[in-house]
Every structure is written in C-alpha cells, then in structure tokens.
Amino acid sequence: MAANRTQGMPQAIATVWSRGGFAGFYQGLIPWAWIEASTKGGVLMFTASEIEQVAMHNGIGPAAAGLLGGMGGGIAQAYATMGFCTCMKTVEITRHKQAATGVKPASTWVVFADIYRKDGIRGINKGVNAVALRQMTNWGSRMGFARAAESMIRSARGKKEGEKLGALDKIASSTIGGALATWNQPIEVVRVEMQSANKSTNPNRPAKLTVFNTLGYIYKENGIKGLYRGVTPRIGLGIWQTVCMVSFADYVKAWVNKK
C-alpha cells in the first residue's frame, strides 16, 4: 500500500494475491527477510539494552531511557544490517510488477549483482538514511511508549516503580507502544518510494531522490493520506514486533542474567 498509494486495503490484498496466491504475501522472505530478521534483532537488543541500562543508572526515567535505547538500537541495526536487506526485500516485492508489461523480471540475485555493478555499496544501501530515520523513530517510540505504559499500569495497580508486571500487563503495554509508534508512517512510505524497483514515468518525480524531496513529491501527488497509506496493517506489525522485542525480550534478558 505504501508503494501503491491509490489502493485501499481490499484492492491491495487482491493485488498481492494475484502475484501467487498465499505465497504472494511472503515475497522477499528468502533470503533477505531471513537475513534481516536474524541480524537486526540481535543488534537491536544488545544496543538498546546497554543504552537503556546506562540511562537508568544515571537517573533517567523508564520512558526516556526506553526512548534513548530504542533510538540508539534502531540506528545501529539500520546501518549495520538493514540497509541492503531492506532495499533488496523491497526490490524482490516490487520487481514483480514488471511482469505486467510482459517482460520476465530478473531474479533477485541478478538484480543484486546489477545494482552492485552499477552503483557499488551505495546502491545496495540505497535509502539507508530513510531506513535509519524510520528505525530510530520506530524503536525509540515503541520502547518509549511501552515503558511509559508500563509505568502507568504499575501506578494503576498500586505497584512501585521497578516492581515486575504480569505477562498480560507487559503485552498490553507493548501493544500500546507498538500502535502509537506508527505515527512515523510517512517515513516508511518515503523509504518504500526511494527503494522501489519500479521506474516511474511521472515527470514530477525527482530524478535523484532524497528523504525530503521524496516526502514533498508524495505529498504533492497523494496528499496527507498518501503519506499514511498502509498504516492499518503496519499497526498490527508494530504491535507484534513490540511484544516480541520489548516484552518477550525482557524475559530473555532476565533469563540470561540468571545464568
């Protein structure tokens, strides 16, 4: 939906289904999503945990510490692992649209080799600054809002700061954090536009895309609704990821600390 900003949810689902049925929803899974998921989680958890712990030890509150940890972890994972993976995952998804012209799209590996041969490492990391901005605001917001929600739940239940919450309370706080963090959907729409494999013929589209001129282009073409296209499914994604990387991660860290 971020790439096809004129489509609503039903039309977007039908479009994806037309690219291979149920399998169409898993385009880009192998190998790019696997590589991305298996590396970014470790980078995020390690970096965010260290920053959050240092911040708390220096008297910063849980919400602000979560915000700083998430921002630092998001930036680290973007530049360390996600730039090329997210770019290639987007290419894998969007290149299928080329088949509509009757031309058989090149394989992902051919696309990867062509981009590297033409633009080098910069081409593979195309749009990485938009990814870093997205991840910084993503995880800063998710962790910050989730920690703030935890504090509010503790207060509502009469618990002191630092007292453990139950699993359902942790999941509820992460749900709040994940949902509220989708305020930055325009950054995701910009990222998708910058990394899309489709060659637009629109004369208004900038020849050399940057975060800001892409933002302006999308706003002029589709308005504020275009910048928030696809936010509904992303709320679901944000909730799931925050539950996994904040609530479940807290249990993993507690288990590791006991060892």
Side-chain angles (χ1 to χ4, degrees):
M1 291 177 73
N4 297 277
R5 292 180 292 276
T6 59
Q7 293 186 351
M9 180 76 79
Q11 191 177 0
I13 292 174
T15 299
V16 176
W17 185 267
S18 69
R19 296 181 194 151
F22 189 71
F25 291 93
Y26 287 87
Q27 293 170 52
L29 175 65
I30 304 172
W32 306 110
W34 278 4
I35 296 171
E36 178 189 332
S38 63
T39 54
K40 75 173 185 177
V43 173
L44 174 69
M45 284 184 64
F46 176 80
T47 308
S49 295
E50 290 299 308
I51 294 174
E52 192 174 11
Q53 187 175 33
V54 170
M56 294 281 284
H57 284 170
N58 283 277
I60 296 177
L67 173 67
L68 293 174
M71 290 173 66
I75 292 171
Q77 69 173 194
Y79 285 110
T81 67
M82 284 189 65
F84 77 96
C85 287
T86 305
C87 175
M88 294 311 299
K89 187 171 65 175
T90 303
V91 167
E92 172 66 18
I93 294 170
T94 59
R95 72 186 180 86
H96 287 279
K97 300 169 189 175
Q98 298 169 355
T101 64
V103 179
K104 184 179 179 181
S107 71
T108 308
W109 295 108
V110 171
V111 173
F112 181 91
D114 286 344
I115 293 174
Y116 185 79
R117 189 163 45 248
K118 185 185 300 181
D119 300 311
I121 196 68
R122 285 180 178 270
I124 299 302
N125 282 279
K126 183 180 179 182
V128 70
N129 291 331
V131 173
L133 185 60
R134 181 195 71 172
Q135 292 306 104
M136 179 185 75
T137 52
N138 262 2
W139 288 108
S141 299
R142 288 170 179 172
M143 296 185 73
F145 284 137
R147 297 307 185 202
E150 287 178 2
S151 295
M152 288 189 289
I153 291 173
R154 282 194 186 92
S155 178
R157 295 192 180 282
K159 293 187 176 184
K160 296 180 180 179
E161 193 63 58
E163 283 191 61
K164 290 184 178 181
L165 293 174
L168 291 180
D169 287 338
K170 296 280 287 183
I171 291 172
S173 63
S174 290
T175 298
I176 294 170
L180 292 179
T182 55
W183 66 266
N184 70 347
Q185 177 67 8
I187 300 173
E188 170 68 358
V189 176
V190 167
R191 193 273 305 172
V192 170
E193 182 66 29
M194 291 180 69
Q195 295 181 334
S196 175
N198 281 348
K199 303 300 180 183
S200 176
T201 57
N202 190 326
N204 296 324
R205 190 176 192 261
K208 187 173 182 180
L209 296 174
T210 66
V211 172
F212 292 107
N213 68 19
T214 305
L215 183 70
Y217 162 70
I218 295 171
Y219 180 75
K220 289 178 182 177
E221 293 295 311
N222 306 105
I224 194 69
K225 287 186 177 181
L227 290 171
Y228 278 91
R229 182 65 70 187
V231 70
T232 301
R234 192 157 174 264
I235 288 173
L237 174 66
I239 290 172
W240 172 246
Q241 289 186 328
T242 309
V243 168
C244 289
M245 299 304 294
V246 178
S247 296
F248 292 172
D250 284 346
Y251 288 106
V252 172
K253 286 184 285 186
W255 179 79
V256 171
N257 288 334
K258 290 179 180 179
K259 298 296 180 180

